Amino acid sequence: GDLVVSGSALIGQELQVGGSEEVTGSAEASVRAPFAAPIAPPCGCDEAQLFDVAGAVAAAAASSGGAESWSVDGAYEVTLATGSYYLTSATLNGATSVTVDGAVALFIDGDLMNAGATEWILSDGASLDLFVAGNLDVAGALEIGDAAHADAVRVYVGGDADATVDLSGSTTLYGSLYAPRAAVTFTGSGQLAGALFTRNLDVSGSLAVSSGAATTPPPSCQQPPSEPPAGGTAPGTEVVQ
C-alpha cells in the first residue's frame, strides 16, 4: 500500500512500495526496488492465521480466576521470577523498574498504560512474553530488554481491529512486537531491534528498525510452575495455575 513519513525514516534493508509515497522530511533505504507482489504472503497475514492475543489472555484469566489491576505510582521496583502472571490492567506512573528473572509470561486483560520512565530488565537466561489484550499507551520513556537479549523478548498486542499502540516520547524495544490487528503510532524517537508486525504504522519523528528474530506466535502454552515465584508476586498480580 502507501508509505507516509513525517520526520525521518531509515530502513536497513530493501524497500518496495506498492502505492504512493508521502514523505515530509526524509526516507532512506539501503536498497530500493520496484514493488513485486510475493508469490505467497511473507508472513501469516490472513485473518485466520493471526495469533489470537485476546484468546490467550482469556485463557489465562480462566486459569487464574481473575486478579486485581496493577497500579503503580512513583518510584517502584519489582522482580518477576519464572511463572505466568495475569492482570486485568496495568498502569505504571513514575519511575518503574521491572526485572525479569526467569521465563516469564505476563497476560494483561485490558490496557497497558505507561507514564514517566519504565525499564524492563532481563537477567541472563531470562525471557519475556508480554500479552496485552487491549491497547499499549506509552508517554515518556520506555525501554524493554537490551541488545544481548533481543531474541528473548516478545510483545503481543491487540485483540481486535480497534486496538492501538501509541508510543510517544522515547521508546526502545529490544525484541519483537506482534500487533497484527493494531494501528501503531510512534511520536518522538523510537528504536526497535527485532521484528515488527502491525496493521498500520504511523511515524511522526524518528524510528529506527534493525534486524532481529522473526516475530512468530508461540507454538504452545506450557503449564506454569505449581508454586508461586520466589519472593511472591507483584502488587495485584496472581500466578496462573
Side-chain angles (χ1 to χ4, degrees):
D2 301 333
L3 172 66
V4 179
V5 177
S6 298
S8 64
L10 176 62
I11 301 168
Q13 301 295 326
E14 184 176 88
L15 172 63
Q16 299 182 15
V17 180
S20 63
E21 291 190 35
E22 182 180 339
V23 178
T24 303
S26 65
E28 300 180 14
S30 295
V31 179
R32 279 182 173 265
F35 179 79
I39 298 175
C43 53
C45 299
D46 294 337
E47 181 67 25
Q49 295 177 292
L50 299 181
F51 177 66
D52 187 3
V53 179
V57 176
S63 298
S64 70
E68 297 178 357
S69 62
W70 186 8
S71 181
V72 175
D73 289 305
Y76 187 78
E77 296 182 2
V78 64
T79 297
L80 301 179
T82 295
S84 296
Y85 303 81
Y86 168 80
L87 299 168
T88 55
S89 63
T91 301
L92 307 177
N93 296 320
T96 304
S97 177
V98 181
T99 299
V100 178
D101 191 18
V104 170
L106 177 59
F107 299 86
I108 300 176
D109 215 342
D111 300 334
L112 172 57
M113 313 289 287
N114 182 95
T118 299
E119 184 179 20
W120 295 69
I121 304 169
L122 267 69
S123 303
D124 289 339
S127 63
L128 173 64
D129 287 285
L130 177 59
F131 300 85
V132 182
N135 304 317
L136 174 58
D137 191 350
V138 176
L142 172 67
E143 182 171 345
I144 302 179
D146 56 73
H149 302 94
D151 292 344
V153 176
R154 293 161 292 272
V155 180
Y156 304 87
V157 181
D160 55 43
D162 295 327
T164 60
V165 177
D166 191 357
L167 307 174
S168 60
S170 174
T171 302
T172 303
L173 170 61
Y174 294 94
S176 298
L177 175 59
Y178 182 86
R181 295 183 175 90
V184 176
T185 302
F186 280 88
T187 303
S189 63
Q191 179 180 349
L192 174 64
L196 174 64
F197 184 2
T198 178
R199 177 170 60 87
N200 290 332
L201 177 61
D202 187 353
V203 179
S204 298
S206 64
L207 170 64
V209 180
S210 57
S211 60
T215 305
T216 55
S220 65
C221 293
Q222 299 178 352
Q223 289 295 322
S226 58
E227 297 295 329
T233 64
T237 309
E238 193 165 314
V239 178
V240 178
Q241 300 294 342

